[in-house]
Amino acid sequence: MRSSLKSYRKVSLDSEISVASPHRIVQMMFAGGLERLAQSRYAIENKNMSDKGVFIGKAIGIVNGLNNSLNMDAGGEIAGNLSQLYDFIIMKATEANLNNDVHAIDDAVSVLRTLKEGWDAIPQDQHHLTSEAS
């Protein structure tokens, strides 16, 4: 049953990505990163070290994807600042992984959530600009 649910979720996600705008894909990445960090925190609290490692690894992969999508030439100072924030999130996630530290997860979540809220607040008629500058 669990395998069928995973397959359904993957197909559903793949379908959504195939029609999503660049702006929506970034929103989905933010949401996925936050979800993986929450799962990491839960795993640490329950002393499930194998899940902790898997979820932190996935969160770091998502944040790396966000960082790698930045257009440093077109984005200027904003892209540089975002890159530093992404680096901070990765550093905190790594710290959480090494030390089983839920407070480091909380620090990473706080920054990522703030970035997501800012991204979500971009008006619909401006979404085309975000895909050009990111």
Side-chain angles (χ1 to χ4, degrees), residues 20-47:
S21 69
H23 181 88
R24 178 69 185 127
I25 290 172
V26 172
Q27 283 180 313
M28 293 168 64
M29 290 176 75
F30 280 135
L34 288 168
E35 182 177 349
R36 297 304 168 265
L37 288 170
Q39 290 168 322
S40 301
R41 189 180 204 290
Y42 182 79
I44 290 170
E45 290 171 337
N46 289 284
K47 300 186 183 353

Side-chain angles (χ1 to χ4, degrees), residues 33-49 51-53 55-56 59 93 96-97 100-110 113:
L34 288 168
E35 182 177 349
R36 297 304 168 265
L37 288 170
Q39 290 168 322
S40 301
R41 189 180 204 290
Y42 182 79
I44 290 170
E45 290 171 337
N46 289 284
K47 300 186 183 353
N48 185 335
M49 298 305 112
D51 280 356
K52 173 202 72 169
F55 292 128
I56 286 179
N97 194 31
N100 297 318
D101 183 356
V102 294
H103 298 295
I105 294 280
D106 294 342
D107 291 343
V109 165
S110 177
R113 182 180 299 124

Side-chain angles (χ1 to χ4, degrees), residues 26-125:
V26 172
Q27 283 180 313
M28 293 168 64
M29 290 176 75
F30 280 135
L34 288 168
E35 182 177 349
R36 297 304 168 265
L37 288 170
Q39 290 168 322
S40 301
R41 189 180 204 290
Y42 182 79
I44 290 170
E45 290 171 337
N46 289 284
K47 300 186 183 353
N48 185 335
M49 298 305 112
S50 63
D51 280 356
K52 173 202 72 169
V54 168
F55 292 128
I56 286 179
K58 288 182 178 188
I60 288 172
I62 290 168
V63 175
N64 270 328
L66 288 164
N67 199 9
N68 292 337
S69 72
L70 294 172
N71 183 334
M72 300 307 278
D73 294 328
E77 185 178 347
I78 292 172
N81 291 342
L82 283 170
S83 184
Q84 288 177 355
L85 290 170
Y86 293 143
D87 288 344
F88 173 83
I89 294 166
I90 292 167
M91 179 191 69
K92 285 298 185 176
T94 302
E95 180 182 318
N97 194 31
L98 293 172
N99 302 321
N100 297 318
D101 183 356
V102 294
H103 298 295
I105 294 280
D106 294 342
D107 291 343
V109 165
S110 177
V111 173
L112 192 58
R113 182 180 299 124
T114 300
L115 292 172
K116 182 182 183 312
E117 288 169 357
W119 193 260
D120 290 346
I122 296 172
Q124 176 75 31
D125 65 340

